[in-house]
Amino acid sequence: TLQRAGFTVVAAGDGATAERLLARHRPAAVITDLKMPEMDGLELLDRLRRADESLPVVLMTAFGTIDAAVSAMKRGAFDFIQKPFEGDQLVMTMRRAVEHRRLVQENQALKAGAREAEGPVLVGRSGAMRKLAHQIQQIARSHGTVLISGESGTGKEVVARTVHAHSPRAGRIMLCLNCAALSSSLLESELFGHEKGAFTGADQLRKGRFELADGGTLLLDEISEIEPTIQAKLLRVLQEQQFERVGSSATMDIDVRVIATTNRDLSRCVADGSFRQDLFYRLNVLPIVLPPLRARSEDIPLLADHFLRRVAMREGREPRRFDEAALNLLQGYPWPGNVRELENICERASVLTRGATIGAEVIEPWLVIPPAAPVTGPARESVGVAAPARTLLGGQQKLEEVERAEILRTLDQFGGNRRRAAEALGIGVRTLGLKLKKWKEQQLVSMSV
């Protein structure tokens, strides 16, 4: 009856068999008889509730066991259906159970970090952006793994969300996870989940991002920052679409499309041994390389107008606009922070400018070229704009001192926020933390001497 109604059904002859099958097939709902040998429906209900309290369980009961069914509902059963029953009644009950499961899963996924935001917007009419838009259209229709690479601030997450929005999974959930923001142990738990008691502090079962994103898309940001042990487990998920929660031996099947982003050259990471070659090949099935903003300067007026309008809409007022001199200045600047830096400049100018027009004199002091990437001589003269280049260090200082000063300046710029500073610098949060720790230890040694 259920198969004719369009359900995929997995059958089990007894409760013990059902329990084993559930770990692998992860159904949307369960319907079980109440009276069964060895393990009855109530015991199976209790076990299923301990494993997954959101799984809806429907009990089939005879006339003489109605009281037991009511008692079972108090213990967490979704509903009961009395034998004999009509097929329509069965189908209606199971459809309600499946819909309940779907709503619960969506809610869990949103709590895990999904955004209910406006759809992604790719702005630009340059040749590079037209090529990118065509590439996204082709890739979105596929179910293959996507690797998006590009400098920090080029809009890798926006492109990932655009791929998802135009894919067959557009109506399903998309989850994101910043791999650089978590330690190896926490990252493993976030990705794969854990059983209650799997480690100290695991006081309840936790579903991982792969499980929550089942049927949808999982974005793994800064994929180059994950440890080798996690790389091996991630490789297996990509190859077999299977995994186990931490502390469990039960294998789960999933259907998740992975999109990974990186601001590093992963082929170089493979060469230096920090990234697995087999994982790189699994990720690099459908590659997308994003151009830096300096390579598509003709898009800057469109992007600036887009960001100014977005700020104005949020603030509830008329949008500001850049005058011609300001636009020339923006187009002549090399944008080491790419689109993210331009967005910050636009927001700052929009908030701090009183009139309707933003002049070049307002934004010129904010356009600072970091010492690590100065633009001098012909490169600046060719655009006809003298974009200011401020250096905080003398030319005779050591490279490590230059690096340290730039990192500390960027941290100060973002109020000590390591994640945002790391993104602006184009390094991982973990790398930034290790450098700060090293310098702190060096300072302590110097003080003790």
Side-chain angles (χ1 to χ4, degrees):
T1 298
L2 293 174
Q3 285 176 333
R4 285 198 301 270
F7 293 99
T8 300
V9 180
V10 177
D14 54 67
T17 304
E19 194 174 15
R20 289 195 300 271
L21 290 172
L22 257 61
R24 185 171 189 85
H25 294 282
R26 299 171 59 247
V30 173
I31 180 166
T32 176
D33 211 344
L34 186 61
K35 295 293 185 181
M36 296 186 294
E38 297 182 10
M39 183 193 301
D40 64 15
L42 292 178
E43 185 179 353
L44 179 60
L45 169 65
D46 290 338
R47 293 193 181 194
L48 297 181
R49 292 281 296 168
R50 284 196 296 269
D52 184 356
E53 63 179 12
S54 67
L55 178 65
V57 179
V58 176
L59 290 165
M60 293 185 293
T61 67
F63 177 77
T65 56
I66 293 294
D67 290 341
V70 173
S71 174
M73 292 189 67
K74 293 180 181 179
R75 291 159 65 170
F78 176 78
D79 203 350
F80 70 90
I81 184 168
Q82 184 178 336
K83 298 184 286 187
F85 47 78
E86 297 293 330
D88 290 346
Q89 182 186 1
L90 172 65
V91 170
M92 183 176 65
T93 301
M94 297 312 294
R95 279 182 177 158
R96 284 194 301 107
V98 169
E99 177 66 10
H100 172 79
R101 173 70 159 182
R102 185 186 67 80
L103 293 173
V104 169
Q105 286 182 325
E106 286 186 0
N107 185 52
Q108 288 175 333
L110 290 170
K111 287 181 178 179
R115 299 183 191 174
E116 290 182 294
E118 61 180 24
V121 178
L122 288 176
V123 179
R125 289 198 288 263
S126 63
M129 288 304 291
R130 288 197 298 269
K131 180 180 177 182
L132 176 62
H134 178 67
Q135 191 177 16
I136 288 173
Q137 280 186 340
Q138 291 179 304
I139 287 175
R141 292 193 291 266
S142 167
H143 292 277
T145 304
V146 182
L147 178 62
I148 304 172
S149 56
E151 295 179 12
S152 181
T154 49
K156 295 185 288 294
E157 183 176 339
V158 174
V159 171
R161 292 187 178 279
T162 304
V163 170
H164 173 75
H166 291 83
S167 74
R169 300 170 185 259
R172 304 301 298 271
I173 199 69
M174 178 179 183
L175 292 181
C176 302
L177 184 63
N178 188 331
C179 300
L182 300 170
S183 66
S184 179
S185 58
L186 287 176
L187 179 60
E188 182 178 17
S189 179
E190 281 292 325
L191 284 172
F192 308 116
H194 62 252
E195 296 289 337
K196 181 178 180 180
F199 50 83
T200 303
D203 55 355
Q204 60 182 2
L205 181 147
R206 179 186 177 90
K207 295 182 180 181
R209 299 300 174 94
F210 273 109
E211 192 171 351
L212 291 171
D214 191 22
T217 304
L218 178 60
L219 171 60
L220 299 178
D221 195 20
E222 295 194 62
I223 192 72
S224 60
E225 302 302 312
I226 64 177
E227 298 289 340
T229 53
I230 308 299
Q231 290 181 27
K233 294 187 177 183
L234 180 58
L235 175 64
R236 186 197 168 206
V237 178
L238 293 176
Q239 286 177 331
E240 303 174 13
Q241 291 280 292
Q242 293 179 337
F243 73 98
E244 293 86 32
R245 294 191 192 123
V246 178
S248 172
S249 59
T251 300
M252 295 185 179
D253 293 325
I254 53 162
D255 173 25
V256 175
R257 184 185 200 180
V258 171
I259 300 178
T261 68
T262 179
N263 55 22
R264 297 191 184 189
D265 184 344
L266 282 189
S267 60
R268 290 187 180 181
C269 294
V270 171
D272 65 27
S274 62
F275 202 82
R276 292 179 63 114
Q277 186 179 51
D278 46 8
L279 178 58
F280 170 65
Y281 290 139
R282 278 289 174 183
L283 290 170
N284 200 37
V285 177
L286 298 170
I288 297 177
V289 180
L290 300 190
L293 185 55
R294 61 184 173 274
R296 55 184 188 102
S297 58
E298 60 265 48
D299 289 331
I300 289 176
L302 289 173
L303 284 164
D305 181 67
H306 170 72
F307 291 138
L308 291 175
R309 287 182 179 278
R310 196 160 70 180
V311 173
M313 184 177 297
R314 187 188 67 201
E315 302 290 338
R317 55 172 170 75
E318 288 296 313
R320 309 275 195 260
R321 63 178 183 85
F322 289 110
D323 64 19
E324 185 175 354
L327 286 175
N328 287 335
L329 189 61
L330 292 174
Q331 288 185 283
Y333 180 63
W335 297 107
N338 289 293
V339 178
R340 186 184 295 114
E341 185 182 4
L342 174 60
E343 182 179 8
N344 291 341
I345 292 290
C346 291
E347 180 164 359
R348 190 186 309 172
S350 181
V351 171
L352 298 180
T353 302
R354 290 188 177 182
T357 304
I358 303 168
E361 70 282 357
V362 175
I363 62 173
E364 186 170 8
W366 304 335
L367 303 181
V368 180
I369 303 172
V375 178
T376 57
R380 281 170 58 190
E381 292 170 3
S382 65
V383 296
V385 179
R390 184 187 309 162
T391 58
L392 305 180
L393 302 167
Q396 302 301 314
Q397 290 182 287
K398 294 181 180 179
L399 179 60
E400 185 175 3
E401 293 173 346
V402 174
E403 180 186 52
R404 179 175 178 175
E406 179 61 18
I407 285 176
L408 294 178
R409 183 190 69 80
T410 307
L411 273 170
D412 183 63
Q413 177 184 347
F414 290 104
N417 187 310
R418 292 190 181 188
R419 182 183 64 79
R420 296 183 64 191
E423 289 176 349
L425 291 163
I427 62 176
V429 178
R430 182 170 174 269
T431 302
L432 175 60
L434 290 173
K435 289 182 181 293
L436 294 174
K437 181 181 178 182
K438 174 186 173 184
W439 294 331
K440 185 177 181 180
E441 290 173 349
Q442 289 175 344
Q443 185 180 17
L444 289 174
V445 170
S446 175
M447 291 173 63
S448 65
V449 172

